Amino acid sequence: MKKLFILFIAVAGFGVNSFGQSSATATATADLVTPISISKTLDMNFGTLASSGTAGTLILATDNSRTSSGGVKILTATTGQAATFTVTGSGTQTYSITLPSTDVSLVSGANSLIANTFTSNPTPTGTLNGGTQTLLVGATLNVPANQIAGTYVSSNFTVTVNYNYYLK
């Protein structure tokens, strides 16, 4: 009888535990975005300018306007053109913009000019609209005193865009 009683307690104990079990379900989600990319649409062009015997600068704004100081004079025969890029990615994601932080040399033969102080529109972040946005980049051209006339051209300069995410 004692064995039967112990068996009964053991079975009853397991039966109580089985009623304490419960289950639930869940789903898994992943948000995969299109990689961000940037492509050049138009090169930067400071336009035509004249230089006197005094050093000066020409600032090319992102709206293509130009202002000069010192011995630099803007000639109206041409207009300026900010560098234009197309940024593409996912939906309405935001992204950061990194402009050149070092001087960019424009060269004509043995002579050179320096472009620096790059600016952008938008800045310092952009927001994609339907997966795309136009990015405009301007800069300051530094012209030394008595600069030799010529057509000055730079090597490529880099503009970088990154989604505003922490990536592992």
Side-chain angles (χ1 to χ4, degrees):
M1 186 70 155
K2 192 175 182 184
K3 287 183 184 181
L4 187 58
F5 180 71
I6 291 173
L7 181 60
F8 175 74
I9 296 294
V11 170
F14 286 123
V16 170
N17 285 338
S18 67
F19 290 115
Q21 184 176 356
S22 180
S23 298
T25 61
T27 62
T29 303
D31 188 12
L32 183 63
V33 298
T34 302
I36 193 167
S37 66
I38 184 171
S39 60
K40 178 193 69 170
T41 307
L42 293 170
D43 287 315
M44 182 180 291
N45 185 345
F46 287 96
T48 305
L49 56 124
S51 173
S52 67
T54 307
T57 61
L58 185 140
I59 299 171
L60 174 62
T62 58
D63 66 359
N64 299 328
S65 65
R66 299 180 295 166
T67 57
S68 63
S69 66
V72 174
K73 304 299 177 219
I74 297 170
L75 301 179
T76 59
T78 61
T79 59
Q81 174 63 58
T84 306
F85 299 89
T86 300
V87 180
T88 57
S90 284
T92 59
Q93 300 297 324
T94 63
Y95 61 93
S96 62
I97 301 161
T98 304
L99 300 172
S101 58
T102 59
D103 293 345
V104 173
S105 294
L106 287 78
V107 178
S108 177
N111 304 299
S112 64
L113 302 172
I114 297 295
N116 56 22
T117 317
F118 287 83
T119 60
S120 70
N121 182 12
T123 189
T125 61
T127 302
L128 299 174
N129 182 5
T132 188
Q133 186 172 43
T134 299
L135 172 64
L136 303 167
V137 176
T140 299
L141 183 66
N142 299 279
V143 181
N146 301 311
Q147 187 66 27
I148 304 298
T151 300
Y152 290 77
V153 179
S154 78
S155 58
N156 292 333
F157 61 89
T158 302
V159 176
T160 304
V161 294
N162 286 300
Y163 281 135
N164 286 335
Y165 296 133
Y166 171 74
L167 299 176
K168 293 181 181 182

